[in-house]
Amino acid sequence: MSTFARAATIDVMDNIGVFLPTGQDQWAAHDPRDLIGFARRSEELGFSSLFVNDSLLSPRIEPLTMLAAIAPVTERIRLGTGALLPVLRRPVLAAQTLASVDQLSGGRLTVTVGAGFPGRFGRPLHELSQVPWERRFARLDETVALWRALWSGAKEFHGEFHSFAELPPATRPFHEQGPPVWLGGGTPAALARIGRHYDGWLPYPPDPADYATGLDTVRSAARGAGRSPEAVTPALFVNVRIDRSAEDARRVMDAYTRANYGLPLAGTEQIQAFAVGTPDEVAAKLARYTSAGARHLVARLGALELSDQREQLERLAALTLPSSP
């Protein structure tokens, strides 16, 4: 059990979640079924959500399989993808799978989607999936629209990339409206699309000021589309490492980013959001994002091994949650 106390510089958070360490390197020295215990402990501690990553470029437990495994052994905690890559799956089958996970969880699913990035984290996924890289954002939006059509019981669907004169009877989600669908991204085009079409925003901007500016753009786009700005959940994907010294925290997080991205921490900090250091330092950085408007933080814990992931989980709970057991 961690002895790290909650920092005085941070308010208790109602919505803070964590990523499950589903990458094979993190659980290889253990039984992968230990991830189920990690999920249950996250719920016991009071975290509000558990998210999973998606990729074909590194060995990991497939995300929807992981969520299906933990759905029946948890009761309250929300289950999410961050981000699911629809390009890896045929859209009708993906809609059925997502609805099934939502049913098994009793309506606790949140689906964050992404379209990939240029370079080695984007094009190779499209090549492996035999889907064109061009117009990937339009394809993503249409895929989500197809999911929603299936979930609502539509009989047909006609789009630029997918057209069905007759749709099969589909597995319905737990709630009639289906699971909320979030999107990441920070480009002007992505922010406008989020405001118009999506239920939440899960970016990882390294500067909290950019988060505030992006959220203003999302809300403006929502108003322009006739939606309430509050219809879009403002979330944040943030990498977290808590240690007794900033030096120790940065050393371990540097090893983590090199293992995951082949980049040092100093380089990855230019791309993604990080809160790394002592409890007070981490709390201060998280508070800057909540002050910028973030209302649901999802922390990816900077630890290369499952036992260290568990320790970081306890430390984050002690830092941010009101009364973690």
Side-chain angles (χ1 to χ4, degrees):
M1 178 69 65
S2 174
T3 59
F4 281 63
R6 188 165 70 86
T9 55
I10 193 168
D11 293 329
V12 170
M13 295 181 181
D14 292 329
N15 282 300
I16 183 161
V18 292
F19 276 88
L20 271 167
T22 54
Q24 182 172 302
D25 289 345
Q26 293 170 306
W27 52 258
H30 301 263
D31 186 327
R33 290 171 293 185
D34 289 345
L35 293 170
I36 294 173
F38 188 101
R40 296 179 69 174
R41 181 58 179 161
S42 300
E43 182 170 73
E44 289 172 1
L45 287 167
F47 286 100
S48 64
S49 62
L50 272 167
F51 276 66
V52 289
N53 277 317
D54 191 16
S55 181
L56 282 179
L57 302 181
S58 58
R60 67 181 65 239
I61 300 296
E62 194 278 326
L64 301 183
T65 304
M66 186 76 251
L67 295 183
I70 63 177
V73 299
T74 55
E75 297 178 356
R76 173 198 54 80
I77 199 164
R78 191 145 196 92
L79 308 180
T81 62
L84 189 75
L85 300 170
V87 68
L88 305 184
R89 298 162 180 85
R90 302 308 302 160
V92 173
L93 180 59
Q96 297 274 53
T97 305
L98 290 166
S100 299
V101 173
D102 195 47
Q103 285 283 358
L104 291 169
S105 70
R108 289 182 284 131
L109 180 64
T110 294
V111 185
T112 305
V113 296
F117 299 94
R120 68 189 183 94
F121 296 109
R123 283 184 180 271
L125 291 173
H126 283 250
E127 292 168 2
L128 285 166
S129 305
Q130 299 180 317
V131 175
W133 173 254
E134 292 72 25
R135 307 211 64 234
R136 62 192 184 280
F137 298 113
R139 185 183 295 273
L140 173 65
D141 289 345
E142 186 177 295
T143 297
V144 172
L146 173 57
W147 290 350
R148 287 170 168 162
L150 284 159
W151 294 336
S152 68
K155 303 298 184 184
E156 60 183 84
F157 182 89
H158 300 285
E160 178 182 355
F161 306 101
H162 308 292
S163 186
F164 300 94
E166 183 177 353
L167 288 173
T171 303
R172 297 293 186 91
F174 187 84
H175 297 295
E176 182 178 353
Q177 67 273 26
V181 183
W182 296 1
L183 184 66
T187 66
L191 298 174
R193 290 162 55 236
I194 292 161
R196 291 195 302 265
H197 302 301
Y198 289 85
D199 304 306
W201 182 40
L202 185 66
Y204 45 56
D207 187 345
D210 290 337
Y211 187 94
T213 301
L215 183 56
D216 286 344
T217 302
V218 167
R219 287 174 169 168
S220 177
R223 283 190 290 268
R227 305 175 70 203
S228 166
E230 304 305 316
V232 182
T233 299
L236 174 75
F237 180 142
V238 57
N239 298 279
V240 173
R241 175 76 195 186
I242 305 167
D243 275 305
R244 298 191 183 279
S245 74
E247 294 76 16
D248 286 346
R250 292 189 65 81
R251 174 179 51 78
V252 178
M253 186 60 90
D254 182 74
Y256 181 83
T257 61
R258 289 177 187 273
N260 275 273
Y261 298 114
L263 294 172
L265 174 59
T268 316
E269 283 177 316
Q270 306 304 309
I271 305 168
Q272 296 187 2
F274 283 82
V276 178
T278 66
D280 282 342
E281 289 170 329
V282 170
K285 185 62 177 286
L286 296 180
R288 289 181 63 199
Y289 281 104
T290 57
S291 295
R295 292 294 174 265
H296 191 134
L297 307 189
V298 187
R300 184 168 62 177
L301 304 174
L304 289 171
E305 205 273 337
L306 191 56
S307 61
D308 194 18
Q309 283 275 337
R310 293 193 191 102
E311 177 61 23
Q312 286 295 307
L313 184 74
E314 301 285 339
R315 292 181 185 182
L316 183 60
L319 181 69
T320 60
L321 302 176
S323 57
S324 58

